[in-house]
Amino acid sequence: RLRGGGAARKQSNLRGGNGGASPYGMKRRSLVYISGILWLAISGMLGSAAIRHFGGLHDIHTTELGLIAVGLVLGFLKARFVLSKVVDREVVRINTLQEPCGIMQLFEAKQSILYVCMMCLGALLKLLRIPSALHGTIDVAVASALFQGAIFFIIHAMDVKE
């Protein structure tokens, strides 16, 4: 017989009663890797959307190559000066979590709201029907920034304390 509500406590853990951690959770380093993999996957999806906006790889002209280069430079700058700070903050936050960590602890509420807002902006770009080349340039910029951010997460995962 369990004393002190052990079964209820275990059930509470499974529902996220301890901040999203579960008794079957994972290490902090795993959360950092998962963050990096998510950013990498989103980067890939945006990159393929950008290629479609430019009419595919077989039909790219000099002007479009210039727009892609502009998107890559803008993405590099965004990653270097904005997303690197976001990644640093997230890694520090994840490093303070108590193990075992639950997948629900991957994002804070305000960060989740930010991601939803960014998805809404992407949907708004579709609705506004901006020129395809401009939409492709924006997608290249965001994709390259997220790709670099994903690399930052993966590099930082090595620094996460066990």
Side-chain angles (χ1 to χ4, degrees):
R1 181 174 169 169
L2 296 172
R3 292 187 186 179
R9 189 170 40 254
K10 184 174 181 181
Q11 187 64 27
S12 172
N13 286 346
L14 293 174
R15 288 190 313 258
N18 62 347
S22 83
Y24 314 108
M26 57 188 81
K27 294 185 179 289
R28 290 182 290 264
R29 181 175 290 167
S30 298
L31 287 182
V32 176
Y33 276 125
I34 290 170
S35 294
I37 291 167
L38 280 173
W39 283 34
L40 190 62
I42 295 167
S43 169
M45 288 185 275
L46 279 172
S48 68
I51 290 170
R52 283 193 307 274
H53 286 298
F54 287 116
L57 290 175
H58 56 67
D59 213 18
I60 293 182
H61 301 291
T62 307
T63 306
E64 292 166 333
L65 282 176
L67 291 173
I68 290 170
V70 166
L72 289 171
V73 169
L74 290 174
F76 173 79
L77 293 173
K78 180 173 181 158
R80 188 61 59 200
F81 297 111
V82 177
L83 293 185
S84 63
K85 292 179 178 98
V86 171
V87 170
D88 289 343
R89 224 176 12 251
E90 280 305 299
V91 170
V92 166
R93 184 188 65 79
I94 290 172
N95 222 3
T96 63
L97 295 176
Q98 185 176 1
E99 288 184 346
C101 303
I103 194 72
M104 296 305 292
Q105 293 174 301
L106 188 58
F107 303 117
E108 289 182 310
K110 67 179 182 178
Q111 187 181 10
S112 298
I113 292 169
L114 175 67
Y115 291 152
V116 169
C117 289
M118 289 177 8
M119 287 188 283
C120 289
L121 283 173
L124 183 63
L125 284 177
K126 279 185 181 180
L127 290 174
L128 290 177
R129 301 204 184 273
I130 63 172
S132 191
L134 178 59
H135 197 166
T137 304
I138 293 168
D139 283 352
V140 166
V142 175
S144 73
L146 286 173
F147 180 82
Q148 292 175 68
I151 299 301
F152 294 153
F153 268 118
I154 292 167
I155 290 170
H156 279 20
M158 303 302 171
D159 298 332
V160 173
K161 62 184 175 186
E162 288 291 325

